[in-house]
Structure formats: structure tokens, C-alpha cells
Amino acid sequence: MWSLSKRSLVSKRGPNTILKAFVGSKVPGGLNAPPLWLDQDGGKPPFKKILVANRGEIAIRVFQTCKKLGISTVAVFSDADAKTKFVNMADEAIHIGPPPSSESYLQMDRILEAVRLTGAEAVHPGYGFLSENAEFSKALKDAGVAFIGPPEQAMDDMGDKIHSKQIAIDAGVTIIPGYQGEIETPEDAVRIANDIGYPVMIKASAGGGGKGMRVAYTDDETREGFMLSKQEAKASFGDDRMLVEKFIENPHHIEIQVLADAHGNVAAFPERECSIQRRNQKVVEEAPSCLIQPETRRRMQEQAKMLCKKVEYRSAGTIELLCDEQQNFYFLEMNTRLQVEHPVTEAISGQDLVEHMIYIAAGRPLPDSLLATDGFLDPVGHAIESRVYAEDPLRGFLPSTGTLHTYREPEDLLISSESGEPISLDKAADYTRVDSGILEGAEISMHYDPMISKLITYGDTRDDAIQHMNWALTNYPIRGLRHNIGFLMSVLQNDTFQGGNTSTKFIGEEYPDGYQQPKLSLLQDYVVSGITGYLNKMSQIVPLAEDSGDDYMEDLKHELVISLNGLKGHPINVGIVDATPVSCGVNVSIPASSELGEDLSPVYDKASTCGLELRNISWGTSPVFQCTVVVDKNTLGEIEAADPEGTKKYLANTPTREITIFDQATGQEVNAVEFKAVACYDGQDNLDTLLRIYGKDVAASVFTPSEYQYNQYLLKEEEVDVSKILQAPMPGKIISIDVAPGDEVQEGQRVAIMEAMKMQTPLHAPKQTKVTSVSVGVGDTVKVDQVILQFE
């Protein structure tokens, strides 16, 4: 029998350091919302101790509000989470089992025992795991412990998607056309799909979070989608009941946040737009929606309140709706818990939703501030949330695992090398919030959801929020595994997104051939080349200093040729001038025409003749490189003439300031533009300097001019033929092998299924061929790119 052990965690940090994600932030709501009742209660919190039956960033989010209210906290953790941020943040922590969630965070008895051991008076379930489990809520109630969530009956009513549709109809809520009943077999699903009319959505009755869901356009897709969704639902929720409903083309995914107390009061918040999704999981959310007009918002809020009253709801919840382009909306489901994307609602309402949940669980009514307008709240400002995932957008957003060797949350830390004062080109850092459960050196494992953090920005207008998000993503260096920051940057700078017209088909329509690494503008090429030249030459300073004494800097003042597109790519000449130690910065010359063989000799005598200059460099033992970039207006004009669209788009999404610099060639001051650049240095690989910058992995080949000339005569490397093998697209577990050696397969035929991070992924034959060998078996754990099958 499993036995729990208790260990107290005594924090050596001051009381404010635990709130790091919000210190100095001007994003409204959340921890920046003033406490609700403490003044009236003489500083007495509603509970003395709260246990959070969850992990990662949501556990931290609840702990933060508890600290604000003076409530002691308890964490529960698996073996995999023993040294994580949320465990160290709690006042007490209880070990509850091995890494798989089925053996730890879903073990109700162990969490109940942890409650008994610690004397917790209430439990917050976060989201996922046991957050919508009515049996868990009832067990806590029977033990005399408050569940910070809705009543069991409301969870049962809304957790069953089949039953919830009938309740919604009875409440007068508009629903999507579909089959109101349980579906047993794939053939039943096909028959119903034909009755409804394609396309259809197949989904688990007890599902959520994009799991157990498939869209089908044909009978074959319905059969396969039904079986895969049923298996996923059984593995994720222990309930494989399925339903089929009409899939609304080009829909907007809209949510209404609600708060309801035990006194019959309901508050409905402004809508969230959550349409940018991959695999039915949200990636970018914002509030309010660009589509929804005030009169539609009010109708949505009215129906949300009607449904809450129908089921006698209590606590925080979310009504999910599908809305077409004419603003006709349909009830999708109700999530009886706090949502991942709740921070954007907090930002535009100024509320702390976690605090409201705690006080509602303690029996408090909603405050008058939420009920003054009959519980209908209007938005103030605009907020955007980007979910930063450990996944590979270049491989269809498949999960990535590994160690976060570098992890630095966005901060405005550049210091002027002249004045010693901070350099601030805009106020984006003030309006950025990071909700994360990660520390540098943490492991992202296959056992849990691959989300690294939630990045939230706020502004008076949507354009402000987008500008702030662009800054935050650019200043967020992560190294050690694949992540989606480059994809998120691409979304934020996408014309359709910036125009506000984002349906759930956004990713499929805007990236029809899948996401590709971004093509950098000419100005960005020059910035990357300048940074590469600096890093390449500064890596030589120590050995040069030892060999050359005081003259070693002179050895750095010469020309490099840098190619950003392979060994034979277009060359950019870089001249290093006035090279000095890191603390004083360095000038880098990139002539605007930048043709191989161009005479760069003036560069070495007159620093300001260079087209681009790096200043205020911050780089030392850390792999994170930061600097400001100065480009004189004449050079910028030449770059813009050569690449007008790329230059305009880059500068439109980059905070800049205009300055004057001294031109030693003319003896006059000239106008220039200054902006920041941040890169993550991954070291050297033969001739290549490896960087992550502008959301892109860059392998910059560095040569002397003569080396570059010789390199043009080298033969290209032969590409490896992978058409005869099927490789694992990610680390995971083999769930099924559907073929055997000697089998003939058709192009697109499913040949195996993998599972990773609670998601099942079918693998298909790349062409019509014959299977010659099977290299793995069912139940095997495989690495990324490991061979699964071989073909003729």
C-alpha cells in the first residue's frame, strides 16, 4: 500500500519574491487586484490553509493569491516534480506517487490523505486532473473540507456533454445541431454523421482540452476519428462515451467567463476569443473579441447567466460558444473550473478570479462592484495570451521533451554602457505578465502537458497589446528543446491576425503547407550577421590576449564573410572595428551593398562609416546576448529600398527611437535609428555559429574572404533518403502497430499510433509500397527520429 510522507518546506526568500511574475507589472487584475474582504474581516483570511491538487503554473497561480491573502499553502507532487518551482513555493509539500498522472495527480485517495496529514481546510483543483471530478468534490465535502469549485451536481450536469445540451435547451440557450444521445460504434457514428451532414465534430462526452476530439469530412475520417477519440477519452478521462454534432465552418471560438455565488448572484464577464488552435487546443487567446459587438456580447452574457441559474452553479466557470461571422452563436459546452486563459479576463476586468473562487467557497456573496450593472461587465483595454509550448511547429506541433538549458522570462535589463542607466525604448515590460511553473534547468517530460508558460500582455488598445506581445516574445530566450515562440511571433505579425479576423481555421488557412521558419528581412539579416561576427571574434579574445599582450584587439579588426543560408548562401561582409571588452561594446560594419570583394579598408579607420553598429552589449557567461542596434538613416534608406516590405514590417513590430550619432568620416552628426536585439547563443559547430533569434534557429557560416572563395568549389553533401523508413516524429510510446512485414500499404494508410503527453498521433504510410520490417513493438518507448518501420 502506498504511504505518504510529509515534509515541511521553509522558504528563505522574502515574502515579496514569491510574487515575481507580477512585481512591477502594470497588467490589471490578478495579484494587482486589491484584496476583497481583508479590511472588513480585520485581516483574517477566509481559510487558514489551502491545498492545491495540481502542478506547474496553475499551482503557482493559486499559491500567489493565497500569499496575498495570508493563507498557508500545500503542494502535492510526483517524483518528476520533486524539485520544481511550485513545490519550492509551497509552505508544505506532500509526495503522492510516480510520474504518470494516473499514479499520482489522479489518485484521489492519496490527495485526500495529503489533506488529512496537513490539515488543509480547502482544496483548489486548478484545471485538468481532478478539477471536474464530482466524486472528488463529494469526498472532500464528506471529510469537512471545502472544494474551491462548483457543486457536484453542476459538475455532473455540465460535465456530460450529452446531458448538458438538453439542460441548455431547457434553459433557453441556443445549441449546435447534433445527435442528442450516446453513440456506440464507428458505424453508428457514420450513420449519424450522414444524417446531420458533413462536416461533423466527433468528441468525448466527458472530454476537454482538445483531447478526444476530431473533425471528419468523410465516412472514413469518421470511422478513424471515432476510434482514436474513444481511445483518447478512455485514457484521459476514464469515460469513452462519444457524441457527434454539426461542425460549424469558419467559426469563432468565444468564451464567457462567469462567477456565481451561493446567494443566487451571477456575474458574466466580457468575452474571450480563443479561435487560434492546433489539434483543437488553444494557442493564442485575447479579450475582447474583434468580432463581437456590444449587443451580441450582452445576449451571450444573458444566456450564460440563464444556464448558471438553471444548474444552480457556484464558483468560476466558462461557457464556450461557437459564433459564425454573422454573430449567430451556439452553446458548445461549459467548463466547470478555472480556464487556462483566465488571465486575459482578469486583465480587462481588473479582477482576481482565484480570489473570488476562494471567497465563494467560503460562502461570501459576490462583491457589489461585480453586481452594480446587474452582473454584466464591459471590457476595459485589451489583453492577449500566448501559450508557450515545448513543441515543434515545423513537425506539425508535435510535443518536444528535454532540458531547458536556458530559460529567461522577458525583462527590460539593458544598461547603457555610457551612462549606466537602463535603456527603455517602450513600456512593453510594464504591461507583460508571465504565468509559468518552470525554472532554468527544468525537464519537460512526456508525462504532462508540454506548456512552458502563458505570456500575457495588456494595452489600452489591441494594437498596444500586440506591440507589447511582440516585444515579450522577442525577449524570451529559451534553449534546450524545440518550442513555438517563432510560430507565435509569426501569428502576431500575420496580416489576418492583425486585422482581427481569426476563425478556428486560422492555422490551416494561413499555414496551408505547415509552419516554416520565417524568412528574415534584409535588416534582420544584417543584425544577425553583426551579432554573429561579434560572437565569433569575441570568442577569440582570451586566447589572443594570452598570446598577443596589449595588441590582441588589433587582431580582431578584420573582415569576415558570413552566410546565413548554408555554406554557399549569399555572403554578407562584416568588418569588426573598435573591438573592446564586452562591457564597453563593439562596432560592427555591414556595408549596405555588402557584395563579396568590396573594399572595406575605410571601416578600420573610421568606425562611423559602418552601416550598422552594436551598442550596450550584455553578454558574458550567459548564452543570452542583448544589445541595441544603431543604423544611420542613410543606410536604413538603402536597406529599405532593397527590401521595402520586409523592412517596413520589421520596424512596425519593433520599438525604436531616433538618435543622432557622430560621423567621423564627415565630422558631422547624422540621424540614426536605435532598437534592441536579443539572441540565444548555442555555440560553434565547425564553421557555423549557432543562434536562436527572431524566432528562428540560425546556423551562420563564418569565413575569411579566402575561405569563402575556396568553399564555392566544394561539392554539396548528399541528402539522406528517408522515403523508405518511417521515423518517430517525437518521443513517446507505441500504442499500436497496424501492419506486418510483407503487407502492402497505400499512401496515407495508418500504420501505427503513438502516444505522447496524453495525445494519440496516428502515423501514416508516405506512399504506396510494401512493409519490409517492423523495428518496434506495442508498448515500446521511442526517441524522436527512431525508425519504426522500413519500406521496400
Side-chain angles (χ1 to χ4, degrees), residues 388-389 393 473-474 476-478 483-490 515 695:
V388 180
Y389 280 106
L473 291 167
T474 302
Y476 202 169
I478 298 174
H483 55 73
N484 69 334
I485 284 182
F487 171 73
L488 293 170
M489 292 175 68
S490 176
Y515 171 74

Side-chain angles (χ1 to χ4, degrees), residues 208-225:
K211 298 175 180 64
M213 297 175 66
R214 298 289 191 284
V215 176
Y217 289 83
T218 66
D219 290 354
D220 287 343
E221 289 181 1
T222 298
R223 290 186 185 92
E224 181 177 78

Side-chain angles (χ1 to χ4, degrees), residues 6 70 148 199 314 364 546 561 713 752:
K6 175 178 177 181
I148 304 175
R314 188 173 69 244
R364 285 281 193 180
E546 292 173 350
V561 179
Y713 298 100

Side-chain angles (χ1 to χ4, degrees), residues 431-603:
Y431 294 98
T432 298
R433 164 180 164 181
V434 183
D435 283 14
S436 171
I438 296 294
L439 293 170
E440 192 167 85
E443 288 282 335
I444 303 294
S445 77
M446 62 183 287
H447 298 291
Y448 310 117
D449 186 88
M451 190 168 68
I452 295 172
S453 72
K454 300 180 307 197
L455 191 58
I456 305 100
T457 57
Y458 175 82
D460 292 335
T461 67
R462 185 172 188 264
D463 286 345
D464 290 340
I466 290 173
Q467 184 87 320
H468 296 161
M469 184 61 74
N470 275 317
W471 172 89
L473 291 167
T474 302
N475 288 267
Y476 202 169
I478 298 174
R479 186 172 66 104
L481 43 67
R482 297 291 180 184
H483 55 73
N484 69 334
I485 284 182
F487 171 73
L488 293 170
M489 292 175 68
S490 176
V491 169
L492 267 289
Q493 296 171 22
N494 176 278
D495 291 339
T496 300
F497 175 82
Q498 293 190 347
N501 185 22
T502 54
S503 77
T504 57
K505 289 189 172 183
F506 174 86
I507 291 178
E509 292 177 347
E510 298 299 319
Y511 304 92
D513 300 319
Y515 171 74
Q516 306 296 323
Q517 288 224 61
K519 182 181 184 301
L520 301 184
S521 67
L522 183 59
L523 179 56
Q524 289 173 301
D525 279 348
Y526 284 177
V527 172
V528 174
S529 297
I531 292 173
T532 299
Y534 170 79
L535 293 172
N536 184 271
K537 300 314 294 182
M538 291 304 284
S539 65
Q540 303 176 32
I541 280 184
V542 173
L544 281 171
E546 292 173 350
D547 296 339
S548 307
D550 294 336
D551 296 329
Y552 74 94
M553 287 296 175
E554 293 299 320
D555 294 328
L556 293 180
K557 298 180 182 180
H558 68 269
E559 181 183 357
L560 297 173
V561 179
I562 294 176
S563 171
L564 303 180
N565 300 302
L567 297 179
K568 298 181 184 293
H570 178 72
I572 295 177
N573 290 343
V574 175
I576 306 293
V577 297
D578 289 353
T580 52
V582 174
S583 60
C584 298
V586 66
N587 294 333
V588 177
S589 168
I590 304 180
S593 57
S594 190
E595 292 296 334
L596 186 65
E598 182 178 0
D599 182 13
L600 295 184
S601 56
V603 168

Side-chain angles (χ1 to χ4, degrees), residues 242-397:
M242 306 302 296
L243 60 86
V244 175
E245 63 189 18
K246 182 69 176 176
F247 179 67
I248 307 298
E249 295 277 13
N250 297 315
H252 289 248
H253 187 119
I254 304 295
E255 298 178 347
I256 298 292
Q257 175 75 56
V258 293
L259 284 173
D261 63 25
H263 305 272
N265 301 308
V266 182
F269 287 74
E271 78 284 348
R272 298 187 289 252
E273 169 89 54
C274 306
S275 296
I276 299 180
Q277 305 176 6
R278 84 284 181 274
R279 296 195 305 271
N280 296 309
Q281 286 185 311
K282 303 154 196 169
V283 182
V284 177
E285 301 102 341
E286 61 181 310
S289 168
C290 295
L291 174 70
I292 303 304
Q293 297 300 308
E295 56 272 18
T296 306
R297 174 180 302 127
R298 180 57 59 92
R299 294 202 310 273
M300 289 177 167
Q301 291 173 319
E302 285 173 348
Q303 290 201 10
K305 292 180 67 174
M306 289 161 53
L307 186 60
C308 287
K309 291 183 177 182
K310 181 69 176 178
V311 297
E312 298 182 355
Y313 196 77
R314 188 173 69 244
S315 193
T318 295
I319 313 299
E320 297 199 0
L321 308 164
L322 286 185
C323 186
D324 65 23
E325 293 176 349
Q326 288 73 46
Q327 299 186 60
N328 300 305
F329 60 88
Y330 308 91
F331 171 74
L332 189 62
E333 63 184 346
M334 183 177 188
N335 288 315
T336 56
R337 54 173 167 78
L338 192 65
Q339 291 279 90
V340 176
E341 58 273 19
H342 76 273
V344 292
T345 297
E346 291 187 326
I348 64 165
S349 66
Q351 302 296 317
D352 183 340
L353 295 177
V354 174
E355 182 177 2
H356 283 296
M357 292 180 75
I358 292 172
Y359 276 110
I360 290 170
R364 285 281 193 180
L366 292 177
D368 293 341
S369 58
L370 294 183
L371 303 176
T373 55
D374 295 326
F376 298 106
L377 279 71
D378 291 320
V380 178
H382 201 97
I384 298 174
E385 175 180 283
S386 294
R387 299 194 193 187
V388 180
Y389 280 106
E391 65 183 15
D392 191 349
L394 298 173
R395 292 188 175 206
F397 303 97

Side-chain angles (χ1 to χ4, degrees), residues 625-681:
F625 174 94
Q626 299 185 61
C627 69
T628 60
V629 180
V630 175
V631 187
D632 71 74
K633 283 294 189 70
N634 290 332
T635 299
L636 186 60
E638 293 181 28
I639 295 172
E640 192 166 7
D643 180 19
E645 184 177 346
T647 305
K648 180 180 179 181
K649 187 166 187 176
Y650 175 65
L651 293 177
N653 290 287
T654 304
T656 63
R657 68 178 177 184
E658 295 195 359
I659 61 172
T660 58
I661 58 175
F662 184 73
D663 186 345
Q664 294 183 21
T666 63
Q668 297 179 345
E669 288 190 336
V670 297
N671 293 325
V673 171
E674 185 176 29
F675 52 90
K676 291 184 180 180
V678 180
C680 207
Y681 176 54

